[in-house]
Structures are given as structure tokens and as C-alpha cells.
Amino acid sequence: MKVNEDTLNMSIRKFLKKVGITSQREIEAVIRKGLEDNKLNDKGPLQVSVRLQLPDLNLDHLITGKIDLD
């Protein structure tokens, strides 16, 4: 089977754009809520992670990082 590289590339980019936009909105919303509720007293970085899964191909990859507030 041969894959159309352009179709594959565009499909992956579309998915990643959706992930990026949705993730940013959710993170911003929960940080604002945390600030309003005084749950973010420390201005240190927040630990964050995303699990990328593609079950049909047994992909299970954890991506970790931090979000700085100051």
C-alpha cells in the first residue's frame, strides 16, 4: 500500500492544529479559574503533560513540560 504523502501531511497538520488550539484554550481557562479561586499562590512553573495515542498502531507517547506563570 502506498500513502499519499500530501494527504497524510495535511491530515496530521489539521489534527495537530486542533490539538494545539483546544489545548491552549483549556489550559488558559483552568489557569484563569485557578487564579480566581486563589489556587495558584506560587508563581512557579506548572507541570503539564499530554498523552499521544494511536491505538491501531500501538503508539502511546507521553509528552511532558512546564508552563511558566511569571
Side-chain angles (χ1 to χ4, degrees):
M1 179 179 154
K2 195 166 190 172
V3 173
N4 181 317
E5 294 293 328
D6 290 335
T7 301
L8 175 62
N9 190 315
M10 290 302 291
S11 184
I12 292 170
R13 285 175 180 255
K14 184 177 179 180
F15 172 73
L16 291 174
K17 183 176 180 180
K18 182 177 180 180
V19 169
I21 291 168
T22 303
S23 298
Q24 183 171 351
R25 286 180 184 157
E26 292 296 321
I27 291 167
E28 287 174 349
V30 77
I31 288 174
R32 281 192 203 99
K33 178 81 170 120
L35 290 169
E36 289 172 6
D37 296 345
N38 292 318
K39 291 184 178 179
L40 292 175
N41 299 331
D42 187 338
K43 292 194 178 197
L46 300 172
Q47 300 303 311
V48 63
S49 67
V50 172
R51 182 168 301 279
L52 177 62
Q53 297 178 312
L54 205 160
D56 291 344
L57 297 174
N58 297 319
L59 173 64
D60 186 4
H61 183 76
L62 183 65
I63 303 163
T64 61
K66 65 178 183 170
I67 297 173
D68 295 315
L69 301 176
D70 188 34

Coordinates of all heavy atoms in Angstrom, one line a residue:
M1 N 0.8 -1.2 0.0 CA 0.0 0.0 0.0 C 0.9 1.2 0.0 O 1.8 1.3 0.8 CB -0.9 0.0 1.2 CG -1.8 1.2 1.3 SD -2.8 1.1 2.8 CE -3.2 2.8 3.0
K2 N 0.5 2.2 -0.8 CA 1.3 3.4 -0.9 C 0.4 4.6 -0.3 O -0.8 4.6 -0.5 CB 1.6 3.8 -2.3 CG 2.7 4.8 -2.5 CD 3.2 4.8 -3.9 CE 4.4 5.8 -3.9 NZ 5.1 5.7 -5.1
V3 N 1.1 5.4 0.5 CA 0.4 6.5 1.1 C 0.6 7.8 0.3 O 1.7 8.1 -0.1 CB 0.9 6.7 2.6 CG1 0.4 8.0 3.2 CG2 0.6 5.5 3.4
N4 N -0.5 8.6 0.2 CA -0.3 9.9 -0.4 C 0.3 10.8 0.6 O -0.4 11.2 1.6 CB -1.7 10.4 -0.9 CG -1.6 11.8 -1.6 OD1 -0.9 12.7 -1.1 ND2 -2.3 11.9 -2.7
E5 N 1.6 11.2 0.4 CA 2.3 12.0 1.4 C 1.7 13.3 1.7 O 1.6 13.8 2.8 CB 3.8 12.2 1.0 CG 4.6 10.9 0.9 CD 4.8 10.3 2.3 OE1 4.9 11.1 3.3 OE2 4.9 9.1 2.4
D6 N 1.1 14.0 0.6 CA 0.5 15.3 0.8 C -0.8 15.2 1.7 O -1.0 16.0 2.6 CB 0.1 15.9 -0.5 CG 1.4 16.4 -1.3 OD1 2.4 16.7 -0.6 OD2 1.3 16.5 -2.5
T7 N -1.6 14.1 1.4 CA -2.8 13.9 2.2 C -2.4 13.6 3.7 O -3.1 14.1 4.6 CB -3.6 12.8 1.6 OG1 -4.0 13.1 0.3 CG2 -4.9 12.5 2.4
L8 N -1.5 12.7 3.8 CA -1.0 12.4 5.2 C -0.5 13.6 5.9 O -1.0 13.8 7.1 CB 0.1 11.3 5.1 CG 0.7 10.9 6.4 CD1 -0.3 10.3 7.4 CD2 1.9 10.0 6.2
N9 N 0.3 14.4 5.3 CA 0.9 15.6 5.9 C -0.2 16.6 6.3 O -0.3 17.1 7.5 CB 1.9 16.2 5.0 CG 2.6 17.3 5.6 OD1 2.1 18.2 6.3 ND2 3.9 17.4 5.4
M10 N -1.2 16.8 5.4 CA -2.2 17.8 5.7 C -3.2 17.2 6.8 O -3.6 18.0 7.7 CB -3.1 18.0 4.4 CG -2.3 18.8 3.4 SD -1.8 20.5 4.0 CE -3.3 21.3 4.2
S11 N -3.4 15.9 6.8 CA -4.3 15.4 7.8 C -3.6 15.5 9.2 O -4.3 15.8 10.2 CB -4.6 13.9 7.5 OG -5.4 13.3 8.4
I12 N -2.3 15.2 9.3 CA -1.6 15.3 10.6 C -1.6 16.8 11.0 O -1.9 17.1 12.2 CB -0.2 14.7 10.4 CG1 -0.3 13.2 10.3 CG2 0.6 15.1 11.7 CD1 1.1 12.6 9.9
R13 N -1.3 17.7 10.1 CA -1.3 19.1 10.5 C -2.6 19.6 11.0 O -2.7 20.4 11.9 CB -0.8 19.9 9.3 CG 0.6 19.8 9.0 CD 1.0 20.6 7.7 NE 2.4 20.5 7.5 CZ 3.3 21.5 7.7 NH1 2.9 22.6 8.2 NH2 4.6 21.3 7.4
K14 N -3.7 19.1 10.3 CA -5.1 19.5 10.7 C -5.3 19.0 12.1 O -5.9 19.8 13.0 CB -6.1 19.0 9.7 CG -7.5 19.4 10.0 CD -8.4 18.9 8.9 CE -9.9 19.3 9.2 NZ -10.8 18.7 8.2
F15 N -5.0 17.8 12.4 CA -5.2 17.2 13.8 C -4.4 18.0 14.8 O -4.9 18.4 15.8 CB -4.8 15.7 13.8 CG -4.8 15.1 15.1 CD1 -6.0 14.9 15.8 CD2 -3.6 14.9 15.8 CE1 -6.0 14.4 17.1 CE2 -3.6 14.3 17.1 CZ -4.8 14.1 17.7
L16 N -3.1 18.2 14.5 CA -2.2 19.0 15.5 C -2.7 20.4 15.7 O -2.6 20.9 16.8 CB -0.8 18.9 15.0 CG -0.1 17.5 15.0 CD1 1.3 17.6 14.4 CD2 -0.1 17.0 16.5
K17 N -3.2 21.0 14.7 CA -3.8 22.4 14.9 C -5.0 22.3 15.8 O -5.1 23.2 16.7 CB -4.2 23.0 13.5 CG -4.7 24.4 13.6 CD -5.0 24.9 12.2 CE -5.5 26.4 12.3 NZ -5.8 26.9 11.0
K18 N -5.8 21.4 15.6 CA -7.0 21.2 16.5 C -6.5 20.9 18.0 O -7.0 21.5 18.9 CB -7.9 20.0 16.1 CG -9.1 19.8 16.9 CD -9.9 18.7 16.3 CE -11.2 18.4 17.0 NZ -12.0 17.3 16.4
V19 N -5.5 20.1 18.1 CA -5.0 19.8 19.4 C -4.4 21.0 20.1 O -4.6 21.3 21.2 CB -3.9 18.7 19.4 CG1 -3.1 18.5 20.7 CG2 -4.5 17.3 19.0
G20 N -3.6 21.8 19.3 CA -2.9 22.9 19.8 C -3.9 24.0 20.3 O -3.8 24.6 21.4
I21 N -4.9 24.3 19.4 CA -5.9 25.3 19.8 C -6.7 24.9 21.0 O -6.9 25.7 21.9 CB -6.8 25.7 18.5 CG1 -5.9 26.3 17.4 CG2 -8.0 26.5 18.9 CD1 -6.6 26.4 16.1
T22 N -7.2 23.7 20.9 CA -8.0 23.2 22.0 C -7.3 23.2 23.3 O -7.8 23.6 24.4 CB -8.6 21.8 21.7 OG1 -9.3 21.9 20.5 CG2 -9.5 21.3 22.8
S23 N -6.0 22.7 23.3 CA -5.2 22.6 24.5 C -4.9 24.0 25.1 O -5.0 24.2 26.3 CB -3.9 21.9 24.2 OG -4.1 20.6 23.7
Q24 N -4.6 25.0 24.2 CA -4.3 26.3 24.7 C -5.5 26.9 25.4 O -5.4 27.5 26.5 CB -3.8 27.2 23.6 CG -3.5 28.6 24.1 CD -2.8 29.5 23.0 OE1 -2.5 29.0 22.0 NE2 -2.6 30.7 23.3
R25 N -6.7 26.7 24.8 CA -7.9 27.3 25.4 C -8.2 26.7 26.7 O -8.6 27.4 27.7 CB -9.1 27.1 24.4 CG -9.1 28.0 23.2 CD -10.3 27.7 22.4 NE -10.2 28.5 21.1 CZ -10.8 28.2 20.0 NH1 -11.6 27.1 19.9 NH2 -10.7 28.9 19.0
E26 N -8.1 25.4 26.8 CA -8.4 24.7 28.1 C -7.4 25.0 29.2 O -7.8 25.3 30.3 CB -8.3 23.1 27.9 CG -9.5 22.6 27.0 CD -10.8 22.8 27.6 OE1 -11.0 22.6 28.9 OE2 -11.8 23.1 26.9
I27 N -6.1 25.1 28.8 CA -5.1 25.5 29.8 C -5.3 26.9 30.3 O -5.2 27.2 31.5 CB -3.7 25.3 29.2 CG1 -3.4 23.8 29.0 CG2 -2.6 26.0 30.1 CD1 -2.1 23.5 28.2
E28 N -5.5 27.8 29.4 CA -5.8 29.2 29.8 C -7.0 29.3 30.7 O -7.0 30.1 31.7 CB -6.0 30.1 28.5 CG -4.7 30.4 27.8 CD -4.9 31.1 26.5 OE1 -6.1 31.3 26.0 OE2 -3.9 31.5 25.9
A29 N -8.0 28.6 30.3 CA -9.3 28.7 31.2 C -9.0 28.1 32.6 O -9.5 28.8 33.5 CB -10.4 27.9 30.5
V30 N -8.3 27.0 32.7 CA -8.1 26.5 34.0 C -7.1 27.3 34.8 O -7.3 27.4 36.1 CB -7.7 25.0 33.9 CG1 -6.2 24.8 33.5 CG2 -8.0 24.2 35.2
I31 N -6.2 27.9 34.2 CA -5.3 28.8 34.9 C -6.0 30.1 35.4 O -5.9 30.5 36.5 CB -4.1 29.2 34.0 CG1 -3.1 28.0 33.9 CG2 -3.3 30.4 34.6 CD1 -2.0 28.2 33.0
R32 N -6.9 30.6 34.5 CA -7.7 31.8 35.0 C -8.6 31.4 36.2 O -8.7 32.2 37.1 CB -8.5 32.3 33.8 CG -7.8 33.2 32.9 CD -8.8 33.9 31.9 NE -8.0 34.2 30.7 CZ -8.1 33.5 29.6 NH1 -8.8 32.4 29.5 NH2 -7.4 33.9 28.5
K33 N -9.2 30.3 36.1 CA -10.0 29.8 37.2 C -9.2 29.6 38.5 O -9.6 29.9 39.6 CB -10.7 28.5 36.8 CG -11.6 27.9 37.8 CD -13.0 28.5 37.9 CE -13.9 27.8 38.8 NZ -14.4 28.5 39.9
G34 N -8.0 29.0 38.3 CA -7.1 28.8 39.4 C -6.7 30.1 40.1 O -6.6 30.2 41.3
L35 N -6.5 31.1 39.3 CA -6.1 32.4 39.8 C -7.3 33.0 40.5 O -7.2 33.6 41.6 CB -5.7 33.4 38.7 CG -4.3 33.0 38.1 CD1 -4.1 33.8 36.8 CD2 -3.2 33.3 39.1
E36 N -8.5 32.9 39.9 CA -9.7 33.5 40.6 C -10.0 32.8 41.9 O -10.5 33.4 42.9 CB -10.9 33.3 39.7 CG -10.9 34.2 38.4 CD -12.1 33.8 37.5 OE1 -12.9 32.9 37.8 OE2 -12.1 34.4 36.4
D37 N -9.8 31.5 42.0 CA -10.0 30.7 43.2 C -8.8 30.7 44.2 O -8.9 30.0 45.2 CB -10.4 29.3 42.8 CG -11.7 29.2 42.0 OD1 -12.4 30.2 42.0 OD2 -11.9 28.1 41.5
N38 N -7.8 31.5 43.9 CA -6.6 31.6 44.7 C -5.9 30.2 44.9 O -5.4 29.9 46.0 CB -6.9 32.2 46.1 CG -7.3 33.7 45.9 OD1 -6.6 34.4 45.2 ND2 -8.3 34.1 46.7
K39 N -6.0 29.4 43.9 CA -5.3 28.1 43.9 C -3.9 28.2 43.4 O -3.2 27.2 43.4 CB -6.1 27.1 43.2 CG -7.4 26.7 43.8 CD -8.2 25.7 43.1 CE -9.5 25.3 43.8 NZ -10.2 24.3 43.1
L40 N -3.5 29.3 42.8 CA -2.2 29.5 42.3 C -1.4 30.5 43.1 O -1.1 31.6 42.6 CB -2.3 29.8 40.8 CG -2.8 28.8 39.9 CD1 -2.9 29.3 38.5 CD2 -1.9 27.6 39.9
N41 N -1.1 30.2 44.3 CA -0.3 31.1 45.1 C 1.1 31.2 44.7 O 1.7 32.3 44.7 CB -0.4 30.7 46.6 CG -1.8 30.6 47.1 OD1 -2.7 31.4 46.6 ND2 -2.1 29.7 48.0
D42 N 1.7 30.1 44.3 CA 3.1 30.1 43.9 C 3.2 30.4 42.4 O 2.4 30.0 41.6 CB 3.7 28.7 44.1 CG 5.1 28.6 43.9 OD1 5.7 29.4 43.2 OD2 5.7 27.7 44.4
K43 N 4.2 31.2 42.0 CA 4.3 31.6 40.6 C 5.3 30.7 39.9 O 5.7 31.0 38.8 CB 4.7 33.1 40.5 CG 3.6 34.0 40.9 CD 3.9 35.4 40.5 CE 2.8 36.3 40.9 NZ 2.7 37.5 40.2
G44 N 5.6 29.6 40.5 CA 6.5 28.6 39.9 C 5.8 27.9 38.7 O 4.6 28.1 38.5
P45 N 6.6 27.2 37.9 CA 6.0 26.6 36.7 C 5.0 25.5 37.1 O 5.1 24.9 38.1 CB 7.2 26.0 36.0 CG 8.3 25.8 37.1 CD 8.0 26.9 38.1
L46 N 4.0 25.3 36.2 CA 3.0 24.3 36.4 C 3.5 23.1 35.5 O 3.8 23.3 34.3 CB 1.7 24.8 35.9 CG 1.1 25.9 36.6 CD1 -0.2 26.4 35.9 CD2 0.8 25.6 38.1
Q47 N 3.5 21.9 36.0 CA 3.8 20.7 35.3 C 2.6 20.4 34.4 O 1.5 20.5 34.8 CB 4.1 19.6 36.2 CG 5.3 19.8 37.1 CD 6.6 20.2 36.3 OE1 7.0 19.5 35.4 NE2 7.2 21.3 36.7
V48 N 2.9 20.0 33.1 CA 1.9 19.7 32.2 C 2.3 18.5 31.4 O 3.5 18.2 31.2 CB 1.6 20.9 31.2 CG1 2.8 21.2 30.4 CG2 0.3 20.7 30.4
S49 N 1.3 17.7 30.9 CA 1.6 16.5 30.1 C 0.5 16.2 29.1 O -0.7 16.6 29.4 CB 1.9 15.3 31.0 OG 0.7 14.9 31.6
V50 N 0.8 15.6 28.1 CA -0.1 15.2 27.0 C 0.2 13.8 26.6 O 1.4 13.4 26.4 CB -0.1 16.1 25.8 CG1 -0.9 15.5 24.7 CG2 -0.5 17.5 26.1
R51 N -0.8 12.9 26.5 CA -0.5 11.5 26.1 C -1.0 11.4 24.7 O -2.2 11.6 24.4 CB -1.2 10.5 27.0 CG -1.0 9.1 26.6 CD -1.4 8.1 27.6 NE -0.8 8.2 28.9 CZ 0.5 7.8 29.2 NH1 1.2 7.2 28.3 NH2 0.9 8.0 30.4
L52 N -0.1 11.1 23.8 CA -0.5 10.9 22.3 C -0.7 9.4 22.1 O 0.2 8.6 22.3 CB 0.7 11.4 21.5 CG 0.5 11.3 20.0 CD1 -0.7 12.0 19.5 CD2 1.8 11.7 19.2
Q53 N -1.9 9.1 21.6 CA -2.2 7.7 21.4 C -2.7 7.4 20.0 O -3.5 8.2 19.5 CB -3.2 7.2 22.4 CG -2.7 7.2 23.9 CD -3.8 6.8 24.8 OE1 -4.9 7.2 24.8 NE2 -3.4 5.9 25.8
L54 N -2.2 6.4 19.4 CA -2.7 5.9 18.1 C -2.9 4.4 18.3 O -2.0 3.6 18.0 CB -1.8 6.3 17.0 CG -2.3 6.4 15.6 CD1 -1.4 7.2 14.7 CD2 -2.7 5.1 15.0
P55 N -4.0 4.0 18.8 CA -4.2 2.6 19.2 C -4.0 1.6 18.1 O -3.5 0.5 18.3 CB -5.6 2.5 19.8 CG -5.9 3.9 20.2 CD -5.2 4.8 19.2
D56 N -4.4 1.9 16.9 CA -4.3 1.0 15.8 C -2.9 0.6 15.5 O -2.6 -0.5 14.9 CB -4.9 1.6 14.5 CG -6.5 1.7 14.6 OD1 -7.0 1.0 15.5 OD2 -7.0 2.4 13.8
L57 N -1.9 1.5 15.9 CA -0.5 1.2 15.6 C 0.3 1.1 16.9 O 1.5 1.2 16.9 CB 0.1 2.3 14.7 CG -0.5 2.3 13.3 CD1 0.0 3.5 12.5 CD2 -0.3 1.0 12.6
N58 N -0.4 0.9 18.0 CA 0.2 0.8 19.4 C 1.1 1.9 19.7 O 2.2 1.7 20.4 CB 1.0 -0.5 19.4 CG 0.1 -1.8 19.3 OD1 -1.0 -1.8 19.8 ND2 0.6 -2.7 18.5
L59 N 0.8 3.1 19.4 CA 1.5 4.3 19.8 C 0.9 4.8 21.1 O -0.3 5.0 21.2 CB 1.4 5.4 18.7 CG 2.0 6.8 19.2 CD1 3.5 6.7 19.4 CD2 1.7 7.9 18.1
D60 N 1.8 5.0 22.1 CA 1.4 5.5 23.4 C 2.6 6.3 23.9 O 3.6 5.8 24.4 CB 1.0 4.4 24.4 CG 0.5 5.0 25.7 OD1 0.3 6.2 25.8 OD2 0.2 4.2 26.6
H61 N 2.6 7.7 23.6 CA 3.7 8.5 23.9 C 3.3 9.7 24.8 O 2.4 10.4 24.6 CB 4.2 9.1 22.6 CG 5.5 9.9 22.7 ND1 6.7 9.3 22.9 CD2 5.6 11.2 22.7 CE1 7.6 10.3 23.0 NE2 7.0 11.5 22.9
L62 N 4.1 9.8 25.9 CA 3.8 10.8 26.9 C 4.7 12.0 26.6 O 6.0 11.8 26.5 CB 4.0 10.3 28.3 CG 3.7 11.3 29.5 CD1 2.2 11.7 29.5 CD2 4.1 10.7 30.8
I63 N 4.2 13.2 26.5 CA 4.9 14.4 26.3 C 4.8 15.3 27.6 O 3.6 15.5 28.0 CB 4.5 15.2 25.1 CG1 4.5 14.3 23.9 CG2 5.2 16.5 24.9 CD1 3.7 14.8 22.7
T64 N 5.9 15.7 28.2 CA 5.8 16.5 29.4 C 6.5 17.8 29.2 O 7.3 18.0 28.3 CB 6.5 15.7 30.6 OG1 7.8 15.5 30.3 CG2 5.8 14.4 30.9
G65 N 6.1 18.7 30.1 CA 6.7 20.1 30.0 C 6.3 20.9 31.2 O 5.8 20.3 32.2
K66 N 6.5 22.2 31.1 CA 6.1 23.1 32.2 C 5.5 24.4 31.6 O 5.9 24.7 30.4 CB 7.3 23.4 33.1 CG 8.4 24.2 32.4 CD 9.5 24.5 33.4 CE 10.5 25.4 32.7 NZ 11.5 25.9 33.6
I67 N 4.7 25.0 32.3 CA 4.1 26.3 31.9 C 4.5 27.3 33.0 O 4.2 27.2 34.2 CB 2.6 26.2 31.8 CG1 2.2 25.2 30.7 CG2 2.0 27.6 31.5 CD1 0.7 24.9 30.6
D68 N 5.2 28.3 32.5 CA 5.7 29.4 33.4 C 4.6 30.4 33.5 O 3.9 30.8 32.6 CB 7.0 30.0 32.9 CG 8.1 29.1 32.9 OD1 8.3 28.4 33.9 OD2 8.9 29.0 31.9
L69 N 4.4 31.0 34.8 CA 3.4 32.0 35.0 C 4.0 33.3 35.2 O 3.3 34.3 35.1 CB 2.6 31.6 36.3 CG 1.8 30.3 36.2 CD1 1.1 30.0 37.5 CD2 0.8 30.2 35.1
D70 N 5.3 33.4 35.4 CA 5.9 34.7 35.7 C 7.1 34.9 34.8 O 7.8 34.0 34.5 CB 6.3 34.8 37.2 CG 6.8 36.2 37.5 OD1 6.3 37.1 37.0 OD2 7.7 36.2 38.4

